[in-house]
Amino acid sequence: MQNTMTQEELFKKLVAHCKEYGFIFPSSEIYDGLGAVYDYGQNGVELKNNIKRYWWDSMVRLHENIVGLDSAIFMHPRTWEASGHVGAFNDPLIDNKDSKKRYRADVLIEEWLAKQDEKIEKEVEKARKRFGETFDEAKYRETSPRVAETAARRDEMHKRFVEAQNSGDLGELRQIIVDCEIVCPISGTRNWTEVRQFNLMFSTQMGSTAEGANTIYLRPETAQGIFVNFENVQRSTRMRVPFGIGQIGKSFRNEITPGNFTFRLREFEQMELEFFCKPGTDLEWFAYWKDFCKNWLLSLGMNEEHLHLRDHSPEELCFYSKATTDFEYDFAFGRGELWGIADRTDYDLSQHAKESGKPLDYTDPVTGERYVPYVVEPSLGADRVVLAFLTDAYDEEVVDKEKNDVRVVLRLHPALAPYKCAVLPLQKGLADKADEIYAKMRKKFSATYDLTGSIGKRYRRQDEIGTPYCVTVDFQTVEDGTVTVRDRDTMEQIRVSVDEAIAYIEGKIEL
Ligand code: ATP
């Protein structure tokens, strides 16, 4: 039986659980933490490494035309001129003069737009209840003056918002906030400053002295390291287009409105693939990667109901992008972007060719055709996908209602679980036999060992960190070499030999 909890409760419990069970800790917590920076504890690092490993295996190892890269975090400052990050990687900021709180102007407007949608849906629901079976939803949406008025105002503001964003008109963004009568949630007033741009890149100085030192940036994405190495990789591998380069690494953004736990961090990790293809074949590859990425998430157990693929409308697309789809996930605090897939055309390579003066075009060795490849980019945040899998996995199961017995269980896919199995000797006298089995299992997959407390308590401890199998060593093990394997989700047990247990668990973690 499932325990019912609100999304807010789930979020609070998940954050507390992550700390309590060694998944995620606030950074430098003994100094009260650092805003939007987190550390992964003993279980979190295993979970994150498993996700990164599966990403690498499915993208790089299993695609014969994809190779990996590990480029440096520091890059020549002109990289960021070429990529547009110096000029355009900005968030529009607005302050409320009374509360002195700072907000992202675009987020305030987006929230207002979402509220209008909610208002409309509420009206429709009310009418549905009022009219019962005779309710004609389409007609109601068209004819209800209240719905029509809200929708018209929403659409007008949305249009102005998209235009203001595309033209970078900060005055208009402020005007929209004023016209929508948006108030500061803290002070409740509309006393707003002008909107200003704030660059999200962290900068530092390179060199030992301040004089003459160069300002360099901590990369805000890993992708540019791939673009500037396009020619090095192509030449040294002699791969023909289409081919891809994948990279996993840290990125840094001085986010203005960080938060929601590890959703929006200032230091985070990205898993990015740049897939280079011939112009004209890009939309086919875009469709391929969209499909591939969706299946990747589902194969690791993501609940499909929580995943939404949102195609960007033509107005929303970046000027250089032919198609973009955001994979959004229903986090416990609300829906947010998890994975961005974009057809970036030849924008990045052309920009670097222009800025560096070095041509980055490609000549096909067979056909002799010469062109700047187009690129399709699936870009996934490692921290966000960890949070998504944890959100899906967290469960409170009522084992015995009368005794108020509830077990917390992380229903992580066995391939992702920090430990695949826990070896539990039933009594201290069986420790030697259990040690032997534990050593054997650890050679095959990550395993843990627990000797203390009742067997029931030990099972629960493993449920709480998501260990899918518990192998119990008892007196019969000494006699005939068999163990029991207890399944985390069903709590059922089977009795098999140690080798069979190993083979069984290996079968479950294979993707
Ligand atoms: P958002 O709109 O949420 O700021 P974005 O569109 O700027 O995200 P991209 O630049 O497309 O994000 O980055 C690709 C991926 O990197 C995102 O889909 C997300 O998973 C991850 N990511 C981006 N910014 C952050 C962050 N501050 N913290 C954690 N992950 C991030």
Side-chain angles (χ1 to χ4, degrees), residues 253 255 263-265 268 270 337-340 379 381 384:
R253 295 184 189 178
E255 299 276 5
F263 177 78
R264 192 174 298 289
L265 297 168
F268 57 101
Q270 288 183 310
E337 179 182 326
L338 179 65
W339 204 334
S379 172
R384 282 193 191 173

Side-chain angles (χ1 to χ4, degrees), residues 89 104 220-221 253 255 262-270 272 326-327 336-340 377 379-385:
F89 193 53
R104 266 173 64 176
E221 60 176 35
R253 295 184 189 178
E255 299 276 5
T262 53
F263 177 78
R264 192 174 298 289
L265 297 168
R266 293 200 168 102
E267 174 178 339
F268 57 101
E269 228 169 335
Q270 288 183 310
E272 298 199 291
D326 288 347
F327 281 34
E337 179 182 326
L338 179 65
W339 204 334
E377 172 193 82
S379 172
L380 175 63
D383 310 271
R384 282 193 191 173
V385 78

Side-chain angles (χ1 to χ4, degrees), residues 228-289:
V228 300
N229 276 299
F230 166 75
E231 221 209 339
N232 281 336
V233 174
Q234 197 276 321
R235 245 197 296 158
S236 53
T237 56
R238 287 184 287 126
M239 280 195 297
R240 277 184 71 198
V241 166
F243 73 88
I245 306 175
Q247 161 151 256
I248 299 178
K250 288 269 187 173
S251 295
F252 304 83
R253 295 184 189 178
N254 199 0
E255 299 276 5
I256 318 304
T257 49
N260 287 330
F261 196 31
T262 53
F263 177 78
R264 192 174 298 289
L265 297 168
R266 293 200 168 102
E267 174 178 339
F268 57 101
E269 228 169 335
Q270 288 183 310
M271 307 194 270
E272 298 199 291
L273 169 70
E274 304 302 329
F275 191 79
F276 301 98
C277 59
K278 188 177 166 186
T281 63
D282 47 313
L283 286 174
E284 269 165 58
W285 284 112
F286 178 76
Y288 170 84
W289 285 111

Side-chain angles (χ1 to χ4, degrees), residues 293-358:
C293 295
K294 182 177 173 196
N295 288 333
W296 189 86
L297 291 170
L298 299 183
S299 72
L300 286 169
M302 181 165 283
N303 181 345
E304 196 168 358
E305 280 176 26
H306 295 160
L307 185 65
H308 310 274
L309 273 55
R310 193 178 66 77
D311 296 331
H312 282 208
S313 63
E315 308 89 65
E316 208 185 338
L317 279 179
C318 279
F319 68 92
Y320 52 76
S321 176
K322 255 168 85 178
T324 298
T325 299
D326 288 347
F327 281 34
E328 297 181 333
Y329 175 82
D330 291 327
F331 290 94
F333 53 82
R335 194 170 287 184
E337 179 182 326
L338 179 65
W339 204 334
I341 315 230
D343 176 344
R344 298 177 61 90
T345 64
D346 61 359
Y347 178 73
D348 306 276
L349 289 181
S350 300
Q351 284 293 105
H352 284 300
K354 217 187 311 167
E355 181 76 24
S356 66
K358 313 236 164 56

